[in-house]
Amino acid sequence: MAHPALAQAFVDNRERAQWHDKALWFVREKRDRMASSVPEWELLRETASNIKRHTQSRMAEYLEQFEANATKNGIVVHWAADAHEHNEIVLSILRRHSVKRLVKSKSMLTEECHLNPFLEEHGIDVVDSDLGERIVQLRKETPSHIVLPAIHIRKEEVGECFHEHLGTEKGASDPNYLTEAARNHLRERFCRADAGLTGVNFAIAETGGIVICTNEGNADLGVGLPKIHIACMGMEKLLPRAKDLSVFLRLLARSATGQPVTTYSSHFHGPQPGCEMHVVIVDNGRSEILKSPEFRRSLDCIRCGACMNTCPVYRRSGGHSYEATVPGPIGSILTPLQTPEKHNTLPFACTLCGSCTDVCPVKIDLHQQLFTLRELLDNKRLIGTSKKLSMKVVSGVMSRTWLFNLLGGIARASLRFMPRFLIYNPLNAWGKQRDLPDAPKQSFRQQYAERQKQKGGGKS
Amino acid sequence: MIAKAPKSSRETILAKIRAALPQSAPLPELEATGPWQTFEDREARFSEVLKFVGGQTVHVKTVAEADAHLRTLEPWAKGKVRCTMVPGLGDTTFDLKAINDPHQLENVDYAVLRGHFCVAENGAIWVTDDTVHHRVLYFIPQHISLVVPASQIVNNMHEAYARIRIGEHRFAGFISGPSKTADIEQSLVIGAHGARSLTVYLIDEL
Ligand code: SF4
């Protein structure tokens, strides 16, 4: 199913759609408070963007430097051209050590490579240890958000899931109680694991080490106990110098969840005594994106999720409607670039409001890229000449009525009920750079329907 | 030994990247960038932010005063398995040196550990693995205290990275507050997988 149909299904459950919208707006507001409390916020974004731009221009050199220094630190470095090779490398490390039980912390890359099902097919017990990820894993779902994997799930549903799998009391839905149950359940898994696998937030060329940021401490427990640590990274995670971290750590958590910094920002530069540490560097289409001047900056993404939290379409259509590992504005660029046939409707899941570009900590020109991508898809440059595919694109545009209807309705309601400062807040997509007219109480469509009804003739 | 993976993937990836090479762009000189945020009262800012993220700061003159305070903390008093890396501050109830497998630390209730310095802007404390027997001691105890010389508070992360050499430690990191999650309906819960509480002792004479 394409995005419009899935989005329609999500908004059909109005109560849930509104709750989802509010939950994300709450995170977005926390981000705004944090950003505005740092006087040099814009300078930080600019600097981060420039560091990334430089890194891209010398990516091969920095990767080689990272590899040489990591090797000196006793880390084994692997290279994977695609998802399949990545999965095979991980499996071969696990097999060599007869690993039966693997504990993972959050890694969007391994989601992208579908590592979990692959390992499970080969008899490995895989436990996701981030609380949100554990919830979606137990529910046999995928994360709907890159930072808040279970943002689409109500606490009552978590309660049901934990009752079934962890034996919590039936009907219990208190987040404190449920988190405590998960803590105890996962502690036991941490202690029994034969290997720990993590993602990578930043890899430092100059020192040959990696940095992993979490709030729960799950990555550190996951790799601190077993003898094997495998870290999987997309090649774009690279930074040249240790001090570049100062810029990125100031931006990441503030943009992601509105915290001053993540609880744990752990720097790994080698295995513990008697243990092994592996880093798998993955391409999987990234070098293709790097070729394109229009889209290469999408590789600068540090996966903070801010563009999702602010996106009016994401908030109201839910992460699963994108059917992509990374949803939201950045996912609507990266995913169609990697699989245009399957994801050609995503660049159209966007109002071009530009709010994503405004919040992005590394200043990716998200809405411009989305616009360019639409043109490419329309011109079929990206998806070849297949008629069937171009038809799908057309249907993607035409069947967006749900979006127009919904967004129109929200805009009208906002104008009437929202305090002025919310509408004219510089970060608010709807008020941005616009002198807004008085909102009509009814849309043209509603007015038309009403009139038809009064005439007694039309159907509403 | 470089890579165990087929050499070919390494070469292919690097060749592809080289072929795509975007136009060169300068690397920003961070020392010449700024000004970065500073604070008149760094300690006040640090304590305020640490409180905001769920931790507490206690400023005392001596180790003995910190020890007296620690003994009033319920998690410490109730904790059966305890250890300390700071002589005179708390106690160690088991033979730390005899532990050669980090799994044996699973039941630690309270650990008193060392931190090198604090960061005012975000309430973080820099810790390194050379002050503990096993790095997991920062994460596995039910509760922890970090002990830092009161004079060691920098303004921001730029000052922080200017004074550390991250490559010198196999493990090092910033810790800001107790472990937490908001994965269930965005409700903040303290005590996800790591410590359930963090008390930072700023000590004048350390
Ligand atoms: S594109 Fe920017 S805002 Fe979106 S997740 Fe990536 S870094 Fe964050």
Side-chain angles (χ1 to χ4, degrees), chain A residues 40 54 67 85 132 183 267 271, chain B residues 9-10 25 37 170 172 183 194:
Chain A
E40 64 268 29
H54 166 82
E67 178 189 48
E85 191 174 5
R183 176 185 171 102
H267 300 50
Chain B
S9 283
R10 176 181 188 274
Q37 198 171 17
R170 287 175 170 226
D183 273 348

Side-chain angles (χ1 to χ4, degrees), chain A residues 83-101:
Chain A
H84 176 73
E85 191 174 5
H86 162 267
N87 293 351
E88 289 288 349
I89 290 170
V90 173
L91 181 65
S92 73
I93 301 168
L94 298 180
R95 284 230 167 112
R96 203 168 329 123
H97 296 277
S98 312
V99 170
K100 294 260 158 10
R101 288 178 294 258

Side-chain angles (χ1 to χ4, degrees), chain B residues 18 32 39 45 50 52 65 70 79 81-82 90 92 108 122 126 136 144 150 159 161-162 165 171 184 199 202 205:
Chain B
R18 289 215 152 87
F39 306 92
R45 163 75 184 201
L50 188 68
F52 174 71
E65 280 174 47
L70 180 68
V81 186
R82 301 187 295 239
T92 302
V108 175
N122 59 17
W126 178 248
V136 81
I144 65 169
E159 291 180 12
Y161 277 99
R165 297 279 160 270
F171 171 80
I184 302 177
T199 302
L202 296 175
E205 295 165 13

Side-chain angles (χ1 to χ4, degrees), chain A residues 146 255 298 300-308 330 356 359-364 366:
Chain A
I146 59 176
S255 300
S298 64
D300 294 349
C301 172
I302 57 172
R303 301 289 192 269
C304 73
C307 58
M308 290 157 216
I330 183 65
C356 47
V359 298
C360 177
V362 287
K363 296 189 89 162
I364 299 172
L366 291 155

Side-chain angles (χ1 to χ4, degrees), chain A residues 386-403:
Chain A
S386 154
K387 198 152 186 192
K388 216 164 133 212
L389 289 175
S390 68
M391 285 306 291
K392 266 198 208 154
V393 174
V394 175
S395 77
V397 189
M398 300 309 276
S399 55
R400 273 178 301 146
T401 42
W402 72 272
L403 182 60

